[in-house]
Amino acid sequence: MDDSLRLMVICGSLAAVLALVAWVGDHRRHRRRHIDRVGFMPWTTIFFFALMVAVLLLGLSAREWLAG
């Protein structure tokens, strides 16, 4: 496994972890007890972009790994 493939796997995995954290944050925001205590983090946007990056990087690295 060369360095660029390893870097894509590491960055894709970190993006997947970030997407999981953002999903949990968004879930907690939607189920809050005090409706007036809103947060300032755009969890839905963070989840969307982190998941997109994770899918692209992990998909490309899997394709490269299978081809090589």
Side-chain angles (χ1 to χ4, degrees), residues 2-25:
D2 62 342
D3 290 336
S4 64
L5 183 60
R6 184 170 305 181
L7 184 64
M8 279 198 304
V9 169
I10 291 170
C11 290
S13 299
L14 288 174
V17 168
L18 178 63
L20 181 67
V21 168
W23 178 73
V24 169

Side-chain angles (χ1 to χ4, degrees), residues 4-47:
S4 64
L5 183 60
R6 184 170 305 181
L7 184 64
M8 279 198 304
V9 169
I10 291 170
C11 290
S13 299
L14 288 174
V17 168
L18 178 63
L20 181 67
V21 168
W23 178 73
V24 169
D26 193 38
H27 180 73
R28 288 186 63 199
R29 184 186 59 155
H30 283 294
R31 298 181 47 91
R32 66 183 181 266
R33 290 180 198 239
H34 304 289
I35 198 75
D36 294 334
R37 294 184 64 197
V38 294
F40 63 92
M41 293 299 291
W43 290 118
T44 307
T45 307
I46 293 171
F47 170 74

